[in-house]
Amino acid sequence: MKKKDIALIILRCVTALVLFAVAIVYYEELSTIDVGSIVSVTDSLGMMICIILAIYLVKALVFVVPASLVYVAVGAIMSPFVAVAVNLTGIFIEVSVTYFLGRFLGKDAVYSLLSKKEIGRKILSKDIGNKASVLVGIRAIPAFPIDFISLFYGASGCKYFKYALLSVAGISWRVILFTILGDAIFKWIPMDKIILVAICLIPVGVVYYLLKKFRFDVKKQERKKA
């Protein structure tokens, strides 16, 4: 093995261990981060936006900052339009950084990391590939962690721009709702109900697939006869 390859393996391991250590040591602070207090150190809107985007960057690297916590806090301290724009920009940064982290760490390291958690094993067991509809669907369902999916797609070698745009599109509905409605979203649209609806739609998708396939087979037989 070349020295360059050995150095890259060591760098990957060190990076993963450092991020893991930071997440463990500062878990309590990061998982209960008070975005409002952090942003309150300045009255400048531009500086506030920079701080919030920096929080999204940290979130992308340590995986333990709750997404809804950031959405709600930003919605509380900014006007709705600005808050939504900032949160969507933050999501774009987050999914991009974690994607490239997954690509840097490599397939073996990412798959090993994901396999240690139940939700990660579910992700690995699915053939999500590069299908646009599948990526948007996974992003739209809150049950799938944003950063784990990003790591997977980065390690899998999915095309970046397609991945990033579809990811933001899939996540955007809940970003907008959390930002505008804040904590009230849990009363108006409970997350467990959303997941239940998504699960109930699976049979509908199966039936649609079977009908589509049947229709395709019929047309294929008709072409042969002709």
Side-chain angles (χ1 to χ4, degrees), residues 5 17 35 53-54 64 76 82 100 102 118 133 139 152-153 161 180 189-191 198 218 224:
D5 294 332
L17 289 173
V35 179
L53 296 183
V64 296
V82 175
F100 285 113
E118 183 179 354
S133 58
R139 287 306 197 186
F152 178 85
Y153 271 92
F161 286 107
I180 296 176
I189 311 177
M191 290 297 104
V218 170
K224 286 183 178 180

Side-chain angles (χ1 to χ4, degrees), residues 173-194:
W173 74 267
R174 64 180 188 266
V175 173
I176 294 171
L177 286 179
F178 269 108
T179 303
I180 296 176
L181 298 180
D183 292 327
I185 192 173
F186 292 108
K187 297 178 181 178
W188 291 96
I189 311 177
M191 290 297 104
D192 58 336
K193 299 298 188 296
I194 293 175

Side-chain angles (χ1 to χ4, degrees), residues 124-174:
L124 293 175
S125 67
K126 297 182 181 299
D127 181 23
I128 58 180
N130 290 319
K131 295 180 179 179
S133 58
V134 175
L135 176 54
V136 173
I138 288 176
R139 287 306 197 186
I141 302 174
F144 292 98
I146 293 175
D147 299 321
F148 279 7
I149 293 294
S150 298
L151 281 175
F152 178 85
Y153 271 92
S156 299
C158 176
K159 292 181 180 179
Y160 166 68
F161 286 107
K162 172 184 176 181
Y163 151 84
L165 293 175
L166 292 175
S167 289
V168 174
I171 300 170
S172 61
W173 74 267
R174 64 180 188 266

